[in-house]
Amino acid sequence: MPSNIDKFSDIRPYNDEEIQPAIKRVINSEEFIDAILGFRFPKLSKYLGFALKPLVRQYLLFKWRKINCIDQMQKIMGRYVQRMIDSTTTNFTYSGLENLDATKNYLFVSNHRDIAMDPSFVNWALYSEDFKTVRIAIGDNLLSKPFVSDLMRMNKSFIVKRSVTGVREMMKSLSHLSDYICSSLKEDSSIWIAQKEGRAKDGFDKTDPAIIKMFYVNGKKKKIPFAEYIKSLNIVPVAVSYELDPCDQQKARELYEKAEFGEYKKSEFEDIESIVSGIIGKKGHVHVAFGKPLSGAFENADQVAEEIDSQIYQNYFLHPSNLIAAEQDVDNIPVQDIEAFKARIQAIKPELQDTVLKMYANPVGHYTS
């Protein structure tokens, strides 16, 4: 049993003293080194992997030997994020932070389009304006590989246990998570969490009231009225919008197969492949819009979810890709942008093209309704 001081050790991000042991575990992981070699040296690794592995290990051990705290890890990750923004986006913008206080902690409830990039872009916007970076909620379905779990928890991620079975265990897990979120907000950190489990593959951003009910488990235990507890969480809706979705074809394939065949079976490493595609894929213009902290006297989870949705729809930044797909206000869009987007759609498998177009068009309906 974890001590009262560290009762969240099973789900929380790593502490400073846990960073070096985690780094050594990651570097000693065969799967991690194979992944690095496959990404950086795809051809050489097939024939010379046995010779390259010890060299890569020694290089990483040397490069990461002085990382001993979360702040150092965040600075290193910041350099990678800056490089990613420079190489995969045409523009990165954000809005709404003038409505927030950098000295306060917030529960950022965000729409969810990309597994790794959504919280990364939110963090970069916060970091750019001298706000504290967030702790990131991540489902344990993405942590099947120990080295992935180590990497995520070194970078301020905490675990949402989705794989638990049985009503009693599920309630215990939800209570534990609710306690952790409350504890983080009270003590030293803001939180990022998606508005529902899984990405919005069809372009519809919709908050699951079950997320709000999970937040309140802690308040209910303490017999704090619902409206009072929700207000104390400082919930801020966030809308992240991508001009181009690097995973649009992957998402469309899943939606298409479910519609045509009634089911879709993920491959073993599909979530990891989606993470990589999201990181290295071209995104065009990315915008992060921060809403205002929820302040109403909400009576139930449905009302809270509706307010989060309302702010996300109101603040969502519509790109030319959205308007072209929805065939709205196209006269104001440069011809070269229209041609480039149409060429992107034409390069997709014919049976998936309509699904991808709807994915880009769907936010326009919410924005204009």
Side-chain angles (χ1 to χ4, degrees):
M1 285 287 291
S3 68
N4 190 48
I5 296 173
D6 197 14
K7 63 180 179 179
F8 303 116
S9 60
D10 58 327
I11 62 171
R12 62 161 174 76
Y14 289 148
N15 291 326
D16 289 347
E17 63 270 17
E18 295 168 309
I19 293 294
Q20 264 302 315
I23 285 174
K24 287 171 182 171
R25 286 196 301 272
V26 168
I27 292 173
N28 285 323
S29 164
E30 288 293 319
E31 288 178 303
F32 174 71
I33 298 299
D34 286 341
I36 293 290
L37 288 174
F39 178 63
R40 293 298 300 272
F41 313 106
K43 292 181 181 178
L44 274 177
S45 64
K46 289 180 182 178
Y47 307 103
L48 296 172
F50 68 95
L52 290 172
K53 280 183 181 182
L55 295 175
V56 171
R57 277 204 173 92
Q58 287 304 312
Y59 171 76
L60 291 175
L61 282 168
F62 175 78
K63 189 174 182 181
W64 294 351
R65 73 193 186 284
K66 293 182 179 179
I67 304 174
N68 290 302
C69 67
I70 301 299
D71 285 346
Q72 288 175 321
M73 179 60 69
Q74 287 280 290
K75 286 176 184 175
I76 288 170
M77 291 306 298
R79 290 200 289 270
Y80 285 125
V81 171
Q82 180 66 73
R83 220 174 292 166
M84 178 275 299
I85 289 174
D86 291 342
S87 61
T88 71
T89 71
T90 56
N91 194 16
F92 173 65
T93 55
Y94 52 87
S95 61
L97 284 177
E98 67 276 6
N99 298 316
L100 305 181
D101 183 343
T103 66
K104 292 183 178 180
N105 293 329
Y106 296 98
L107 176 50
F108 295 106
V109 180
S110 167
N111 67 332
H112 194 26
R113 301 300 182 84
D114 187 277
I115 296 168
M117 289 296 91
D118 294 347
S120 295
F121 282 121
V122 167
N123 258 342
W124 192 251
L126 293 168
Y127 176 77
S128 299
E129 296 295 328
D130 296 323
F131 281 72
K132 290 178 289 187
T133 55
V134 298
R135 288 177 179 167
I136 300 163
I138 185 164
D140 61 359
N141 57 301
L142 300 174
L143 306 177
S144 56
K145 303 294 180 186
F147 80 86
V148 176
S149 178
D150 278 331
L151 285 171
M152 292 295 189
R153 294 181 76 182
M154 281 193 288
N155 194 35
K156 295 183 73 172
S157 292
F158 64 94
I159 300 170
V160 177
K161 294 182 179 180
R162 293 176 178 158
S163 59
V164 293
T165 56
V167 175
R168 188 171 179 177
E169 283 303 307
M170 285 177 65
M171 288 307 300
K172 185 179 176 182
S173 175
L174 287 173
S175 178
H176 194 47
L177 179 60
S178 183
D179 290 356
Y180 175 73
I181 289 172
C182 179
S183 174
S184 285
L185 292 170
K186 280 185 177 178
E187 292 171 10
D188 56 2
S189 185
S190 291
I191 295 285
W192 177 94
I193 192 167
Q195 65 181 167
K196 67 175 182 178
E197 181 179 334
R199 293 168 292 168
K201 299 179 183 73
D202 58 2
F204 278 126
D205 300 310
K206 189 76 176 168
T207 303
D208 185 349
I211 299 287
I212 313 303
K213 292 174 183 176
M214 179 273 290
F215 295 159
Y216 184 55
V217 170
N218 179 269
K220 193 172 185 179
K221 269 195 308 189
K222 296 176 179 177
K223 295 182 169 50
I224 301 172
F226 181 83
E228 181 183 334
Y229 189 79
I230 291 299
K231 189 173 182 179
S232 74
L233 295 176
N234 272 343
I235 296 173
V236 174
V238 181
V240 185
S241 60
Y242 299 78
E243 183 176 10
L244 302 173
D245 185 339
C247 299
D248 52 12
Q249 191 163 186
Q250 293 167 288
K251 293 176 181 178
R253 185 176 69 248
E254 179 174 340
L255 293 172
Y256 176 80
E257 291 192 15
K258 281 181 178 177
E260 288 293 310
F261 311 113
E263 65 173 347
Y264 174 79
K265 291 185 178 179
K266 282 187 179 181
S267 62
E268 184 182 0
F269 301 111
E270 190 164 330
D271 284 331
I272 303 300
E273 290 168 3
S274 292
I275 290 173
V276 173
S277 296
I279 292 170
I280 66 175
K282 298 298 182 184
K283 305 167 189 64
H285 177 195
V286 178
H287 185 80
V288 178
F290 295 87
K292 295 179 179 179
L294 269 58
S295 59
F298 301 100
E299 295 177 7
N300 54 53
D302 288 330
Q303 289 182 2
V304 177
E306 286 173 12
E307 175 59 21
I308 292 170
D309 291 345
S310 176
Q311 287 203 38
I312 287 175
Y313 301 153
Q314 180 183 348
N315 295 324
Y316 191 95
F317 185 95
L318 290 176
H319 297 285
S321 55
N322 303 119
L323 298 170
I324 296 165
E327 299 180 348
Q328 288 198 23
D329 298 328
V330 181
D331 293 342
N332 299 320
I333 298 171
V335 173
Q336 61 267 30
D337 289 352
I338 296 173
E339 290 177 350
F341 183 72
K342 286 183 176 178
R344 179 185 181 88
I345 299 299
Q346 287 301 313
I348 292 171
K349 291 180 179 180
E351 68 270 21
L352 302 180
Q353 289 178 11
D354 283 347
T355 304
V356 172
L357 279 172
K358 288 176 183 175
M359 187 188 306
Y360 283 101
N362 280 338
V364 179
H366 278 145
Y367 183 87
T368 56
S369 61

Coordinates of all heavy atoms in Angstrom, one line a residue, residues 152-223:
M152 N 6.2 8.8 -20.9 CA 5.0 9.7 -20.6 C 5.1 10.2 -19.2 O 4.9 11.4 -18.9 CB 3.7 8.9 -20.8 CG 3.5 8.6 -22.3 SD 3.2 10.0 -23.3 CE 2.7 9.2 -24.8
R153 N 5.4 9.4 -18.2 CA 5.4 9.8 -16.8 C 6.6 10.7 -16.5 O 6.5 11.5 -15.5 CB 5.3 8.6 -15.9 CG 4.0 7.8 -16.0 CD 3.9 6.6 -15.1 NE 3.7 7.0 -13.7 CZ 3.6 6.1 -12.7 NH1 3.8 4.8 -13.0 NH2 3.3 6.6 -11.5
M154 N 7.7 10.6 -17.3 CA 8.8 11.6 -17.1 C 8.4 13.0 -17.6 O 8.9 14.0 -17.2 CB 10.0 11.1 -17.9 CG 10.8 10.0 -17.3 SD 12.4 9.8 -18.1 CE 11.9 9.0 -19.6
N155 N 7.3 13.0 -18.4 CA 6.9 14.3 -19.0 C 5.6 14.7 -18.5 O 4.7 15.2 -19.2 CB 6.9 14.2 -20.6 CG 6.8 15.5 -21.3 OD1 7.4 16.5 -20.8 ND2 6.1 15.6 -22.3
K156 N 5.4 14.6 -17.2 CA 4.2 15.1 -16.5 C 2.9 14.5 -16.9 O 1.8 15.2 -16.8 CB 4.2 16.6 -16.6 CG 5.3 17.4 -15.9 CD 5.2 18.9 -16.0 CE 4.2 19.4 -15.1 NZ 4.2 20.9 -15.0
S157 N 2.9 13.3 -17.3 CA 1.6 12.6 -17.6 C 1.2 11.7 -16.4 O 2.0 11.1 -15.7 CB 1.8 11.7 -18.9 OG 1.9 12.5 -20.0
F158 N -0.1 11.7 -16.2 CA -0.6 10.8 -15.2 C -1.6 9.8 -15.8 O -2.1 10.1 -16.9 CB -1.3 11.5 -14.0 CG -2.5 12.3 -14.3 CD1 -3.8 11.8 -14.2 CD2 -2.3 13.7 -14.8 CE1 -4.9 12.6 -14.5 CE2 -3.4 14.4 -15.1 CZ -4.7 13.9 -15.0
I159 N -1.9 8.7 -15.2 CA -2.5 7.6 -15.8 C -4.0 7.5 -15.5 O -4.4 7.6 -14.3 CB -1.9 6.2 -15.4 CG1 -0.4 6.2 -15.8 CG2 -2.6 5.0 -16.0 CD1 0.4 5.0 -15.2
V160 N -4.8 7.4 -16.5 CA -6.3 7.1 -16.4 C -6.5 5.6 -16.6 O -6.2 5.2 -17.7 CB -7.1 8.0 -17.4 CG1 -8.6 7.6 -17.2 CG2 -6.9 9.4 -17.1
K161 N -6.9 4.9 -15.6 CA -7.0 3.4 -15.8 C -8.3 3.0 -16.4 O -9.3 2.9 -15.8 CB -6.8 2.8 -14.4 CG -5.5 3.0 -13.8 CD -5.4 2.2 -12.4 CE -4.0 2.4 -11.8 NZ -3.9 1.7 -10.5
R162 N -8.2 2.8 -17.7 CA -9.4 2.5 -18.5 C -9.6 1.0 -18.6 O -10.7 0.5 -19.0 CB -9.3 3.1 -19.9 CG -9.4 4.6 -19.9 CD -9.2 5.1 -21.3 NE -9.3 6.6 -21.3 CZ -8.8 7.4 -22.3 NH1 -8.2 6.8 -23.3 NH2 -9.0 8.7 -22.3
S163 N -8.5 0.2 -18.3 CA -8.6 -1.2 -18.5 C -9.1 -2.0 -17.3 O -9.3 -3.2 -17.4 CB -7.2 -1.7 -18.8 OG -6.3 -1.4 -17.8
V164 N -9.5 -1.3 -16.2 CA -10.0 -2.0 -15.1 C -11.4 -2.6 -15.4 O -12.1 -2.0 -16.1 CB -10.1 -1.1 -13.8 CG1 -8.7 -0.7 -13.3 CG2 -10.9 0.1 -14.1
T165 N -11.6 -3.8 -14.8 CA -12.9 -4.4 -15.0 C -13.6 -4.6 -13.6 O -13.0 -4.7 -12.6 CB -12.7 -5.8 -15.7 OG1 -11.8 -6.6 -14.9 CG2 -12.2 -5.6 -17.1
G166 N -14.9 -4.8 -13.7 CA -15.7 -4.9 -12.5 C -16.1 -3.6 -11.9 O -15.4 -2.7 -11.9
V167 N -17.4 -3.5 -11.5 CA -18.0 -2.3 -11.0 C -17.2 -1.7 -9.8 O -16.9 -0.5 -9.7 CB -19.5 -2.5 -10.6 CG1 -20.0 -1.2 -10.0 CG2 -20.3 -2.9 -11.8
R168 N -16.9 -2.6 -8.9 CA -16.2 -2.1 -7.7 C -14.8 -1.6 -8.0 O -14.4 -0.5 -7.5 CB -16.0 -3.3 -6.7 CG -15.5 -2.9 -5.3 CD -15.6 -4.1 -4.4 NE -15.1 -3.7 -3.0 CZ -15.1 -4.5 -2.0 NH1 -15.6 -5.7 -2.1 NH2 -14.6 -4.1 -0.8
E169 N -14.1 -2.3 -8.8 CA -12.7 -1.8 -9.2 C -12.8 -0.5 -10.0 O -12.0 0.4 -9.9 CB -12.0 -2.8 -10.0 CG -11.4 -4.0 -9.2 CD -10.5 -3.5 -8.1 OE1 -9.5 -2.7 -8.4 OE2 -10.7 -3.8 -6.9
M170 N -13.8 -0.4 -10.9 CA -14.0 0.8 -11.7 C -14.3 2.0 -10.8 O -13.7 3.1 -11.0 CB -15.1 0.6 -12.7 CG -14.7 -0.2 -13.9 SD -16.1 -0.5 -15.0 CE -16.4 1.2 -15.6
M171 N -15.2 1.9 -9.8 CA -15.5 2.9 -8.9 C -14.3 3.4 -8.0 O -14.1 4.5 -7.8 CB -16.7 2.5 -8.0 CG -18.0 2.5 -8.7 SD -18.4 4.0 -9.6 CE -18.4 5.2 -8.3
K172 N -13.5 2.4 -7.6 CA -12.3 2.6 -6.9 C -11.3 3.5 -7.7 O -10.7 4.4 -7.2 CB -11.7 1.3 -6.4 CG -10.5 1.5 -5.5 CD -10.0 0.1 -5.1 CE -8.7 0.3 -4.2 NZ -8.1 -1.1 -3.9
S173 N -11.2 3.1 -8.9 CA -10.3 3.8 -9.9 C -10.7 5.2 -10.1 O -9.9 6.1 -10.1 CB -10.2 3.0 -11.2 OG -9.4 3.7 -12.1
L174 N -12.0 5.4 -10.4 CA -12.6 6.7 -10.6 C -12.4 7.6 -9.4 O -12.1 8.8 -9.5 CB -14.1 6.6 -11.0 CG -14.4 6.1 -12.4 CD1 -15.9 5.9 -12.5 CD2 -13.9 7.0 -13.5
S175 N -12.6 7.1 -8.2 CA -12.5 7.8 -7.0 C -11.0 8.3 -6.8 O -10.7 9.4 -6.4 CB -12.9 7.0 -5.8 OG -12.7 7.7 -4.6
H176 N -10.1 7.3 -7.1 CA -8.7 7.6 -7.0 C -8.3 8.7 -7.9 O -7.5 9.7 -7.6 CB -7.9 6.3 -7.3 CG -6.5 6.3 -6.9 ND1 -6.0 6.8 -5.7 CD2 -5.4 6.0 -7.6 CE1 -4.7 6.7 -5.6 NE2 -4.3 6.2 -6.8
L177 N -8.8 8.6 -9.2 CA -8.4 9.7 -10.2 C -9.0 11.0 -9.8 O -8.3 12.1 -9.9 CB -9.0 9.2 -11.5 CG -8.8 10.1 -12.7 CD1 -7.3 10.4 -13.0 CD2 -9.4 9.6 -14.0
S178 N -10.3 11.0 -9.3 CA -10.9 12.3 -8.9 C -10.2 12.9 -7.8 O -9.9 14.1 -7.8 CB -12.4 12.0 -8.5 OG -13.0 13.2 -8.1
D179 N -9.7 12.1 -6.8 CA -8.9 12.6 -5.7 C -7.6 13.2 -6.2 O -7.2 14.3 -5.7 CB -8.6 11.5 -4.7 CG -9.8 11.0 -3.9 OD1 -10.9 11.6 -4.1 OD2 -9.7 10.0 -3.2
Y180 N -7.0 12.6 -7.2 CA -5.7 13.0 -7.6 C -5.8 14.4 -8.4 O -5.0 15.3 -8.2 CB -5.0 12.0 -8.6 CG -3.8 12.5 -9.2 CD1 -2.6 12.7 -8.4 CD2 -3.7 13.0 -10.5 CE1 -1.5 13.2 -9.0 CE2 -2.6 13.5 -11.1 CZ -1.4 13.6 -10.3 OH -0.3 14.2 -10.8
I181 N -6.9 14.5 -9.2 CA -7.1 15.8 -9.9 C -7.3 16.9 -8.9 O -6.7 18.0 -9.1 CB -8.3 15.6 -10.9 CG1 -7.9 14.7 -12.1 CG2 -8.7 17.0 -11.4 CD1 -9.0 14.3 -13.0
C182 N -8.2 16.7 -7.9 CA -8.4 17.7 -6.9 C -7.1 18.1 -6.2 O -6.8 19.2 -6.0 CB -9.5 17.2 -6.0 SG -9.9 18.4 -4.6
S183 N -6.4 17.0 -5.8 CA -5.1 17.3 -5.0 C -4.1 18.1 -5.9 O -3.5 19.0 -5.3 CB -4.5 15.9 -4.7 OG -3.2 16.1 -4.1
S184 N -4.0 17.8 -7.1 CA -3.1 18.5 -8.0 C -3.5 20.0 -8.1 O -2.6 20.9 -8.0 CB -3.0 17.9 -9.4 OG -2.3 16.7 -9.4
L185 N -4.7 20.2 -8.4 CA -5.2 21.6 -8.5 C -5.0 22.4 -7.2 O -4.7 23.6 -7.3 CB -6.7 21.5 -8.9 CG -7.0 21.0 -10.3 CD1 -8.5 20.8 -10.5 CD2 -6.5 21.9 -11.4
K186 N -5.2 21.8 -6.1 CA -5.1 22.5 -4.8 C -3.6 22.8 -4.5 O -3.3 23.8 -3.9 CB -5.7 21.7 -3.7 CG -7.2 21.8 -3.6 CD -7.7 21.0 -2.4 CE -9.2 21.2 -2.2 NZ -9.7 20.4 -1.0
E187 N -2.8 21.9 -4.9 CA -1.4 22.0 -4.5 C -0.5 22.7 -5.5 O 0.0 23.8 -5.2 CB -0.8 20.6 -4.2 CG -1.4 19.9 -3.0 CD -1.0 18.5 -2.8 OE1 -0.1 18.1 -3.5 OE2 -1.6 17.8 -2.0
D188 N -0.2 22.2 -6.6 CA 0.9 22.7 -7.4 C 0.8 22.6 -8.9 O 1.7 22.9 -9.6 CB 2.2 22.1 -7.0 CG 2.2 20.6 -7.1 OD1 1.2 20.0 -7.6 OD2 3.2 20.0 -6.8
S189 N -0.4 22.2 -9.5 CA -0.4 22.0 -10.9 C -1.7 22.1 -11.6 O -2.7 21.6 -11.0 CB 0.2 20.6 -11.3 OG 0.3 20.5 -12.7
S190 N -1.7 22.7 -12.7 CA -2.9 22.6 -13.6 C -3.0 21.3 -14.3 O -2.0 20.5 -14.3 CB -2.9 23.7 -14.7 OG -3.0 25.0 -14.1
I191 N -4.2 20.9 -14.8 CA -4.4 19.6 -15.4 C -4.9 19.8 -16.8 O -5.7 20.7 -17.1 CB -5.5 18.8 -14.6 CG1 -4.9 18.5 -13.2 CG2 -5.9 17.6 -15.3 CD1 -3.9 17.4 -13.1
W192 N -4.5 18.9 -17.7 CA -5.1 18.8 -19.1 C -5.8 17.5 -19.2 O -5.2 16.4 -18.8 CB -4.1 18.9 -20.2 CG -4.7 18.8 -21.6 CD1 -5.1 19.8 -22.4 CD2 -4.9 17.5 -22.3 NE1 -5.6 19.2 -23.6 CE2 -5.5 17.9 -23.5 CE3 -4.7 16.2 -22.0 CZ2 -5.9 16.9 -24.5 CZ3 -5.1 15.2 -22.9 CH2 -5.6 15.6 -24.1
I193 N -7.0 17.5 -19.6 CA -7.8 16.2 -19.8 C -8.7 16.4 -21.1 O -9.2 17.5 -21.3 CB -8.6 15.8 -18.6 CG1 -9.1 14.3 -18.7 CG2 -9.7 16.8 -18.3 CD1 -9.6 13.7 -17.4
A194 N -8.8 15.3 -21.8 CA -9.7 15.4 -23.0 C -11.1 15.4 -22.6 O -11.5 14.8 -21.5 CB -9.4 14.2 -23.9
Q195 N -12.0 16.0 -23.4 CA -13.4 16.1 -23.1 C -14.2 14.7 -23.2 O -15.3 14.6 -22.7 CB -14.1 17.1 -24.0 CG -14.1 16.7 -25.5 CD -14.8 17.7 -26.4 OE1 -14.6 17.6 -27.6 NE2 -15.5 18.7 -25.9
K196 N -13.5 13.7 -23.8 CA -14.1 12.4 -23.8 C -13.0 11.4 -24.1 O -11.9 11.8 -24.5 CB -15.2 12.3 -24.9 CG -14.7 12.4 -26.3 CD -15.8 12.2 -27.3 CE -15.2 12.3 -28.7 NZ -16.3 12.0 -29.7
E197 N -13.3 10.1 -23.8 CA -12.3 9.1 -24.1 C -12.2 8.9 -25.6 O -13.2 8.8 -26.4 CB -12.8 7.8 -23.5 CG -11.8 6.6 -23.7 CD -12.3 5.3 -23.1 OE1 -13.1 5.4 -22.1 OE2 -11.9 4.2 -23.6
G198 N -11.0 9.0 -26.1 CA -10.7 8.8 -27.6 C -10.8 10.1 -28.3 O -11.5 11.0 -27.9
R199 N -10.1 10.1 -29.5 CA -10.2 11.3 -30.3 C -11.5 11.5 -31.1 O -12.2 10.5 -31.3 CB -9.0 11.2 -31.4 CG -7.6 11.3 -30.8 CD -6.6 10.9 -31.8 NE -6.7 9.5 -32.2 CZ -6.1 8.9 -33.2 NH1 -5.4 9.6 -34.0 NH2 -6.3 7.6 -33.5
A200 N -11.8 12.7 -31.4 CA -13.0 13.0 -32.2 C -12.6 12.8 -33.7 O -12.2 13.7 -34.4 CB -13.4 14.4 -32.0
K201 N -12.8 11.5 -34.1 CA -12.3 11.2 -35.4 C -13.2 11.8 -36.5 O -12.8 11.9 -37.7 CB -12.3 9.6 -35.6 CG -11.3 9.0 -34.6 CD -11.3 7.5 -34.7 CE -10.3 6.9 -33.6 NZ -10.9 7.0 -32.3
D202 N -14.5 12.1 -36.2 CA -15.4 12.6 -37.2 C -15.4 14.1 -37.3 O -16.2 14.7 -38.0 CB -16.8 12.1 -37.0 CG -17.4 12.4 -35.7 OD1 -16.7 13.0 -34.9 OD2 -18.5 11.9 -35.4
G203 N -14.6 14.8 -36.4 CA -14.6 16.3 -36.4 C -15.7 16.9 -35.5 O -15.8 18.1 -35.3
F204 N -16.5 16.0 -34.8 CA -17.5 16.5 -33.8 C -16.9 16.5 -32.4 O -16.5 15.4 -31.9 CB -18.7 15.6 -33.8 CG -19.7 15.9 -34.9 CD1 -20.1 15.0 -35.8 CD2 -20.2 17.2 -35.1 CE1 -21.0 15.2 -36.8 CE2 -21.1 17.5 -36.1 CZ -21.5 16.5 -37.0
D205 N -16.8 17.6 -31.8 CA -16.2 17.8 -30.5 C -17.4 17.8 -29.5 O -18.2 18.7 -29.5 CB -15.4 19.0 -30.4 CG -14.3 19.1 -31.3 OD1 -13.5 18.1 -31.4 OD2 -14.1 20.1 -32.0
K206 N -17.5 16.7 -28.7 CA -18.6 16.6 -27.7 C -18.1 16.1 -26.4 O -17.5 15.1 -26.3 CB -19.6 15.6 -28.3 CG -21.0 15.5 -27.6 CD -21.8 16.7 -27.9 CE -23.2 16.6 -27.3 NZ -24.0 17.8 -27.3
T207 N -18.4 16.8 -25.3 CA -18.0 16.5 -24.0 C -18.9 15.3 -23.4 O -20.1 15.4 -23.5 CB -18.1 17.7 -23.0 OG1 -17.3 18.7 -23.6 CG2 -17.6 17.3 -21.7
D208 N -18.2 14.3 -22.9 CA -18.9 13.2 -22.3 C -19.2 13.6 -20.8 O -18.3 13.9 -20.0 CB -18.0 12.0 -22.3 CG -18.8 10.7 -21.8 OD1 -19.9 10.9 -21.2 OD2 -18.2 9.6 -21.9
P209 N -20.5 13.7 -20.4 CA -20.9 14.0 -19.0 C -20.2 13.1 -18.0 O -20.1 13.5 -16.8 CB -22.4 13.9 -19.0 CG -22.8 14.2 -20.4 CD -21.7 13.5 -21.3
A210 N -19.9 11.9 -18.4 CA -19.2 11.0 -17.5 C -17.9 11.5 -17.0 O -17.5 11.2 -15.8 CB -19.0 9.6 -18.2
I211 N -17.2 12.3 -17.8 CA -16.0 13.0 -17.3 C -16.3 13.9 -16.2 O -15.5 14.0 -15.2 CB -15.3 13.8 -18.5 CG1 -14.9 12.8 -19.6 CG2 -14.1 14.6 -18.0 CD1 -13.8 11.9 -19.4
I212 N -17.4 14.7 -16.3 CA -17.7 15.6 -15.2 C -18.1 14.9 -14.0 O -17.8 15.3 -12.9 CB -18.9 16.5 -15.7 CG1 -18.7 17.1 -17.1 CG2 -19.2 17.7 -14.7 CD1 -17.4 17.9 -17.3
K213 N -18.9 13.8 -14.1 CA -19.3 13.0 -13.0 C -18.0 12.4 -12.3 O -18.0 12.4 -11.0 CB -20.2 11.8 -13.4 CG -21.5 12.3 -13.9 CD -22.3 11.2 -14.5 CE -23.7 11.7 -15.0 NZ -24.5 10.6 -15.7
M214 N -17.0 12.1 -13.0 CA -15.7 11.6 -12.4 C -15.1 12.7 -11.6 O -14.7 12.5 -10.5 CB -14.8 11.1 -13.5 CG -13.4 10.6 -13.0 SD -12.2 12.0 -12.8 CE -11.9 12.3 -14.5
F215 N -15.1 13.9 -12.1 CA -14.5 15.1 -11.4 C -15.2 15.2 -10.0 O -14.6 15.5 -9.0 CB -14.8 16.4 -12.1 CG -14.0 16.5 -13.4 CD1 -14.5 17.5 -14.4 CD2 -12.9 15.8 -13.7 CE1 -13.8 17.6 -15.6 CE2 -12.2 15.9 -14.9 CZ -12.7 16.8 -15.9
Y216 N -16.5 15.0 -10.0 CA -17.3 15.2 -8.8 C -17.3 14.1 -7.7 O -17.7 14.3 -6.6 CB -18.8 15.5 -9.1 CG -19.6 15.9 -8.0 CD1 -19.3 17.0 -7.1 CD2 -20.8 15.2 -7.7 CE1 -20.1 17.3 -6.0 CE2 -21.6 15.5 -6.6 CZ -21.2 16.6 -5.7 OH -22.0 16.9 -4.6
V217 N -16.7 13.0 -8.1 CA -16.7 11.9 -7.1 C -16.0 12.3 -5.8 O -16.5 12.0 -4.7 CB -15.9 10.6 -7.7 CG1 -15.6 9.6 -6.7 CG2 -16.7 10.0 -8.9
N218 N -14.9 13.1 -5.9 CA -14.3 13.5 -4.7 C -15.2 14.5 -3.9 O -15.2 14.4 -2.7 CB -13.0 14.2 -5.1 CG -12.2 14.8 -3.9 OD1 -12.4 16.0 -3.6 ND2 -11.3 14.0 -3.4
G219 N -15.8 15.4 -4.7 CA -16.7 16.4 -4.0 C -17.9 15.7 -3.3 O -18.3 16.1 -2.2
K220 N -18.4 14.7 -4.0 CA -19.6 13.9 -3.4 C -19.2 13.2 -2.1 O -19.9 13.2 -1.2 CB -20.1 12.9 -4.5 CG -21.4 12.3 -4.1 CD -21.9 11.4 -5.3 CE -23.3 10.9 -5.1 NZ -23.8 10.1 -6.2
K221 N -18.0 12.6 -2.1 CA -17.5 12.0 -0.9 C -17.4 13.0 0.3 O -17.7 12.6 1.4 CB -16.1 11.4 -1.2 CG -16.0 10.0 -1.7 CD -14.6 9.4 -1.5 CE -13.6 10.2 -2.2 NZ -12.3 9.5 -2.3
K222 N -17.0 14.2 -0.1 CA -16.8 15.2 1.0 C -18.1 16.0 1.2 O -18.1 16.9 2.0 CB -15.7 16.2 0.5 CG -14.4 15.5 0.5 CD -13.3 16.5 -0.1 CE -11.9 15.9 -0.1 NZ -10.9 16.8 -0.7
K223 N -19.2 15.6 0.6 CA -20.5 16.2 0.7 C -20.5 17.7 0.4 O -21.2 18.5 1.0 CB -21.1 16.0 2.2 CG -21.3 14.5 2.5 CD -21.9 14.3 3.9 CE -22.4 12.9 4.1 NZ -21.5 11.8 3.8

